[in-house]
Amino acid sequence: MRAAVIVFPGSNCDRDMVEALRQSGADVAKVWHKDAELPQGLDLVAIPGGFSFGDYLRCGAIAAQSPICRAVVDHAHRGGYVLGVCNGFQVLSETGLVPGALMRNSGLKFLCKTVGLTVETQDSAFTADYSQGSEIQVPIAHHDGNFYATEDELKALEGEDRVAFRYSDNPNGSISSIAGVLSSNRRVLGMMPHPERAMDAQMGSADGQALFRALVGQTTQG
């Protein structure tokens, strides 16, 4: 399985993402945001967390206009896998690859802690190795993670089983406690919590391993 991790000015979880993918068996390359093309033969593009371009406009809005994001959108439209975590989720929403928007946390404070997530579906390459309804422990680190969707968007997400994760105890005001959503073809996942930071029990949780293991395994099999 071949993966690329996109790096923007202000990305700070790119190395964590690379290591999580490599630990799971992927061949990983880093790609700079000014590049106009992705490496050939990619299965997955990952957009990591951080503060792309300092979040000086809306979070992820400037990054979404980078040359590489046009290639990421094309990759997704061809049926490739895309994972966006935290700031990466914000970038995905700005490019339109997933619905909704990420707003300021309801408590108006930056949140950095481990939270419980309920796995809402197994029907994706990202969640296939979890049990539906199980609770996992994954860190969050965000100031603008309050997920909002219109009534029609929320109806589609719920009706099409495209809510991947919900917060067990909603920390930021997200509508319907949504922590992660899938695209209509189920090959793009945007989520605020950081599975790449939950790869080793000695660091607090290894519950992120199943996401990367499932993703690498399924894309390797085609």
Side-chain angles (χ1 to χ4, degrees), residues 3-22 28-33 46-52 83 85-88 194 196-197 212:
V5 175
I6 309 301
V7 183
F8 300 98
S11 294
N12 63 15
C13 297
D14 45 306
R15 182 173 179 178
D16 305 69
M17 183 67 75
V18 168
E19 291 303 314
L21 286 163
R22 285 178 177 164
V28 190
K30 285 187 176 182
V31 178
W32 185 233
H33 73 108
I47 305 178
F51 303 90
S52 59
L83 170 64
V85 172
C86 198
N87 192 229
H194 288 267
E196 79 284 1
R197 295 185 182 178
F212 291 100

Side-chain angles (χ1 to χ4, degrees), residues 1-220:
M1 183 259 201
R2 297 193 64 205
V5 175
I6 309 301
V7 183
F8 300 98
S11 294
N12 63 15
C13 297
D14 45 306
R15 182 173 179 178
D16 305 69
M17 183 67 75
V18 168
E19 291 303 314
L21 286 163
R22 285 178 177 164
Q23 181 180 324
S24 304
D27 177 15
V28 190
K30 285 187 176 182
V31 178
W32 185 233
H33 73 108
K34 286 189 176 181
D35 293 345
E37 297 181 357
L38 292 165
Q40 294 294 313
L42 285 183
D43 303 293
L44 167 73
V45 177
I47 305 178
F51 303 90
S52 59
F53 293 93
D55 289 340
Y56 286 127
L57 191 58
R58 295 185 311 276
C59 297
I62 301 175
Q65 302 305 312
S66 290
I68 197 60
C69 277
R70 290 190 287 273
V72 173
V73 170
D74 289 343
H75 170 82
H77 287 167
R78 291 193 300 268
Y81 290 94
V82 182
L83 170 64
V85 172
C86 198
N87 192 229
F89 186 6
Q90 296 159 345
V91 173
L92 292 182
S93 72
E94 291 287 344
T95 61
L97 288 178
V98 295
L102 284 307
M103 305 188 302
R104 186 64 47 86
N105 295 341
S106 58
L108 305 181
K109 293 182 178 180
F110 180 82
L111 299 171
C112 185
K113 59 182 180 179
T114 296
V115 300
L117 300 180
T118 302
V119 180
E120 291 294 312
T121 182
Q122 283 184 288
D123 186 17
S124 79
F126 307 92
T127 58
D129 275 12
Y130 293 114
S131 298
Q132 185 173 350
S134 63
E135 181 173 304
I136 60 176
Q137 300 295 311
V138 182
I140 59 171
H142 59 249
H143 194 254
D144 295 71
N146 182 353
F147 179 75
Y148 172 79
T150 66
E151 183 177 347
D152 287 343
E153 288 173 331
L154 184 60
K155 183 177 180 181
L157 287 170
E158 299 282 10
E160 297 170 11
D161 188 34
R162 288 166 50 200
V163 176
F165 302 103
R166 292 187 208 271
Y167 298 108
S168 304
D169 184 12
N170 193 338
N172 54 28
S174 291
I175 192 168
S176 296
S177 297
I178 291 173
V181 298
L182 295 160
S183 62
S184 57
N185 71 355
R186 315 187 76 79
R187 289 178 172 242
V188 180
L189 170 66
M191 60 185 296
M192 284 309 297
H194 288 267
E196 79 284 1
R197 295 185 182 178
M199 296 294 289
D200 190 327
Q202 295 186 65
M203 299 297 290
S205 174
D207 288 344
Q209 289 184 8
L211 185 149
F212 291 100
R213 181 174 62 242
L215 180 58
V216 171
Q218 291 205 25
T219 53
T220 300

